[in-house]
Amino acid sequence: MKRDMKLIEKMLCAFVFLIVGIQMHLYSQSPKNVIDEVVWVVGDEAILRSDVEAARLEFGANIQGNPYCVIPEQLAIQKLFLHQAQLDSIDIPSSTVSANVEERLNELIMRAGSKEKLEEYLGQSYSQIREMYYEYVENQMLTESVRRKIIGDIKVSPALVRKFYNSLPEDSIPY
């Protein structure tokens, strides 16, 4: 079963590369300059190539596998969680989000040395940085809230883990 999942994952990556390659070829043939392009669509939300590139640059070597397959998949999962949060009317208080944003910004300021150096490094004003981080943190907190809601009732004991592990065929157990 695990081999089937890996095969499906590889086929999905190959399909994504094929589609992206065809799109890039078509766009390179057109005389217009492309600012951005849609890589995937989840519901009404588009995942843009710029989103994938930004995540690739942000996480860099921490990504296991092909980043052009892993990142769009993770972004799609996040968008599904955000959509579910909207359907379930899950709301994070703005005071909680603001406190979290302030904590992160203070850490960034400390790393950069000053607020001015942070603005210079990111090429944005402090209010723009705060606005960008507010949306990011709010989405992150909503996603985590939906995850907790989904897996909150699941209880896994060490005995269940051992039973599952022992039920796997020997050639399917990762090293």
Side-chain angles (χ1 to χ4, degrees), residues 76-89:
I77 290 169
Q78 181 182 22
K79 288 192 183 288
L80 287 171
F81 278 130
L82 291 173
H83 182 68
Q84 188 64 45
Q86 189 178 31
L87 291 175
D88 293 346
S89 300

Side-chain angles (χ1 to χ4, degrees), residues 4 15 27 45 66 123 125 139:
D4 292 340
F15 179 71
Y27 282 121
E45 297 286 325
N66 185 337
S125 70
N139 287 343

Side-chain angles (χ1 to χ4, degrees), residues 44-155:
D44 294 337
E45 297 286 325
I47 297 174
L48 302 175
R49 175 172 295 284
S50 60
D51 297 336
V52 174
E53 283 300 317
R56 187 183 64 78
L57 291 173
E58 183 177 344
F59 298 111
N62 296 334
I63 298 170
Q64 292 182 336
N66 185 337
Y68 294 103
C69 190
V70 173
I71 293 171
E73 181 179 304
Q74 292 303 314
L75 291 173
I77 290 169
Q78 181 182 22
K79 288 192 183 288
L80 287 171
F81 278 130
L82 291 173
H83 182 68
Q84 188 64 45
Q86 189 178 31
L87 291 175
D88 293 346
S89 300
I90 295 175
D91 190 33
I92 306 293
S94 61
S95 59
T96 305
V97 177
S98 294
N100 198 306
V101 168
E102 285 303 316
E103 186 178 312
R104 289 179 187 215
L105 288 176
N106 287 336
E107 185 179 323
L108 287 174
I109 290 170
M110 188 174 75
R111 286 183 183 175
S114 71
K115 190 185 289 188
E116 291 76 23
K117 286 183 181 178
L118 179 65
E119 290 174 334
E120 181 182 328
Y121 178 74
L122 294 176
Q124 298 177 335
S125 70
Y126 188 71
S127 60
Q128 290 172 319
I129 297 168
R130 179 189 308 260
E131 188 178 310
M132 177 184 69
Y133 263 89
Y134 188 91
E135 182 180 342
Y136 174 76
V137 168
E138 183 178 37
N139 287 343
Q140 205 173 32
M141 293 175 92
L142 283 168
T143 300
E144 189 55 38
S145 180
V146 171
R147 274 196 183 129
R148 270 187 265 122
K149 184 178 178 185
I150 290 172
I151 64 170
D153 296 334
I154 298 174
K155 305 239 186 294

Side-chain angles (χ1 to χ4, degrees), residues 12-25:
L12 180 61
C13 282
F15 179 71
V16 168
F17 281 129
L18 178 65
I19 297 298
V20 170
I22 290 170
Q23 287 178 343
M24 289 176 64
H25 176 72

